[in-house]
Amino acid sequence: MQQNIQRHRVVVIGAGYTGASAAGRLARRLRSEDVSITLVNAEPDFVERVRMHQLAVGQDLRPRPFHRMFAGTGVRLKLAKVTGIDVDRGTVSVTDANGAGQPEDLEYDTLVYALGSAWNTRGVPGATEHAHEIAGREGALRLRDRLAALAPGSPVTVVGGGLTGVEAATELAEARPDLDVSLVARGGLGDWLSPKGARHLRKVFGDLRITAHEHTAVTAVEADRVITPAGDIPAAVTVWTTGFAVHPIARATALETTDDGRIPVDGTMRSTSHPDVYAIGDAALVAGPGGKPLRMSCASGVPTAWQAADAIAARLTGGKLPTTAPRYFNQCVSLGRKEGLIQYVTADDRAVSAALTGRVAALYKELVCKGAAWGVANPTMGLPTRRRRVTAQRAGATAPAA
């Protein structure tokens, strides 16, 4: 008697660096007659999130449509917004990306949760109403329009002294030297860097005439200023870069989540509470070297996508589970188009004395950005792969043919 084997249904939600990488890597590991891979995303193009500060200052980015990226791979793109997940029923609820049509439930056997993160106002009054964000394309384009309308001499204040804030401030000051750019940092400027790296950052800030308000907390944002305990800072435009907050959908499910909404995972990126769910990228709480959680970043996210895809493929085919532990090597910081900073770090992301600076570092960072985008379209890094068969027992339900 023949058996009619139902394809194992993999649904990947979110098509940033991690979700798109995971979907493409799975498609190159498994046979399409055994597995269906559906990638759910609200936009038809891949967004290079690490370049949003460039988009905001008026630079045009190369379009990267998913239909080209996944042509011939077997990955099916579903243009839709995720509105809910039922992990007990194994369904993802979606609506049309344009708000039209009827809601739909997508059934899955394996879910890859890659909804990522958005900006985090940290509850500061007025930030949502008056500040701009560059965590996504829509926010960057809104900021782009606002900056284009500013008169020379207008004050622009960037809030947040981390990697995103530093890149935004320097990109803006270089592209618009006619504006009065300042940055507000809760700590010291570049205090996470080595002495060499911090010195270079301060030099670039001086060359670009960026005012740094160090050891300063922002307590409120108004339409034309930011409020701090030390006094008001003028801001015709406020750019908010104080970190990221994960998508809230996970907390509304039966999945185990942390207080900040991330999904705890094991070493293969599988949810500690629901083994048919994998979480990757910013959405996941991943233990790095020494048990220290990985920070939300592209550098952290892509290795988790590879780990999850390889683990799913191994479990479906009876292969060997991946054992590579994520770690850090460097922090790549663009400081405009002409300057950069490559801060070398320990495996757990602590700065060491070595740092690369200047034009060479800017070229290095540009290669990293291009490589990250190339890697999404080539998730096995151009290496040949063998698509393995999925066993019926592992693939899911089988039913006798009529």
Side-chain angles (χ1 to χ4, degrees):
M1 180 181 296
Q2 286 186 327
Q3 287 186 320
N4 180 26
I5 301 177
Q6 176 180 308
R7 289 198 298 169
H8 188 91
R9 300 162 299 183
V10 178
V11 174
V12 182
I13 54 175
Y17 287 97
T18 58
S21 295
R25 195 171 176 98
L26 273 171
R28 289 163 175 78
R29 293 276 189 258
L30 302 168
R31 296 194 179 188
S32 58
E33 58 264 37
D34 295 338
V35 176
S36 67
I37 302 171
T38 302
L39 178 62
V40 182
N41 198 60
E43 297 188 65
D45 297 336
F46 173 68
V47 176
E48 290 186 84
R49 190 176 184 183
V50 297
R51 293 190 187 272
M52 289 301 96
H53 54 287
Q54 295 177 240
L55 184 63
V57 300
Q59 297 171 32
D60 292 326
L61 303 183
R62 172 186 170 187
R64 298 180 184 275
F66 284 122
H67 75 269
R68 293 181 186 172
M69 187 176 293
F70 293 116
T73 65
V75 175
R76 171 193 172 224
L77 179 65
K78 176 76 173 178
L79 289 177
K81 293 182 179 180
V82 177
T83 58
I85 303 168
D86 190 327
V87 292
D88 296 321
R89 292 176 53 225
T91 60
V92 175
S93 299
V94 301
T95 58
D96 187 275
N98 297 318
Q102 295 296 317
E104 180 183 356
D105 283 346
L106 305 177
E107 296 182 333
Y108 67 81
D109 298 302
T110 297
L111 174 67
V112 181
Y113 187 107
L115 289 181
S117 61
W119 67 320
N120 186 359
T121 64
R122 302 187 183 277
V124 173
T128 301
E129 295 82 2
H130 301 300
H132 288 263
E133 53 93 4
I134 54 172
R137 179 156 54 186
E138 287 187 11
L141 288 174
R142 283 194 295 269
L143 176 58
R144 178 178 182 149
D145 291 341
R146 181 71 183 96
L147 291 173
L150 289 181
S154 298
V156 177
T157 298
V158 178
V159 180
L163 295 174
T164 305
V166 165
E167 290 195 329
T170 51
E171 195 76 49
L172 178 55
E174 181 187 82
R176 291 290 305 274
D178 59 315
L179 299 177
D180 182 11
V181 180
S182 63
L183 179 139
V184 183
R186 182 177 290 272
L189 180 63
D191 58 4
W192 75 93
L193 298 168
S194 66
K196 178 181 178 180
R199 284 195 302 271
H200 185 69
L201 180 59
R202 289 183 180 277
K203 177 183 181 299
V204 173
F205 264 53
D207 292 343
L208 293 174
R209 296 184 292 109
I210 302 170
T211 301
H213 301 273
E214 301 180 71
H215 306 288
T216 302
V218 172
T219 56
V221 180
E222 296 182 359
D224 61 350
R225 72 195 66 203
V226 298
I227 311 301
T228 80
D232 297 354
I233 300 172
V237 171
T238 299
V239 184
W240 197 268
T241 68
T242 62
F244 302 105
V246 298
H247 199 290
I249 282 183
R251 298 184 70 174
T253 71
L255 286 166
E256 178 188 357
T257 59
T258 61
D259 290 342
D260 64 359
R262 287 192 285 179
I263 302 170
V265 295
D266 64 14
T268 64
M269 306 303 122
R270 186 162 64 170
S271 163
T272 54
S273 64
H274 289 75
D276 55 348
V277 176
Y278 291 73
I280 56 178
D282 292 354
L285 180 67
V286 183
K292 180 181 177 181
L294 298 182
R295 59 181 163 87
M296 297 182 186
S297 67
C298 177
S300 304
V302 171
T304 68
W306 294 350
Q307 191 88 334
D310 292 351
I312 293 168
R315 288 190 169 106
L316 291 176
T317 62
K320 184 179 180 181
L321 287 173
T323 57
T324 303
R327 58 151 297 164
Y328 295 99
F329 297 93
N330 54 40
Q331 295 178 5
C332 303
V333 191
S334 65
L335 303 174
R337 297 299 88 205
K338 301 175 182 178
E339 282 280 359
L341 170 62
I342 309 301
Q343 176 63 66
Y344 296 99
V345 298
T346 60
D348 63 351
D349 208 28
R350 290 175 291 113
V352 298
S353 59
L356 185 65
T357 62
R359 181 62 177 167
V360 174
L363 293 172
Y364 187 116
K365 173 62 187 286
E366 179 61 20
L367 287 175
V368 168
C369 290
K370 288 182 176 178
W374 180 87
V376 173
N378 300 272
T380 59
M381 306 308 289
L383 298 175
T385 58
R386 175 186 174 189
R387 296 187 177 188
R388 298 182 178 275
R389 295 302 306 263
V390 174
T391 64
Q393 292 80 3
R394 293 176 183 270
T398 61

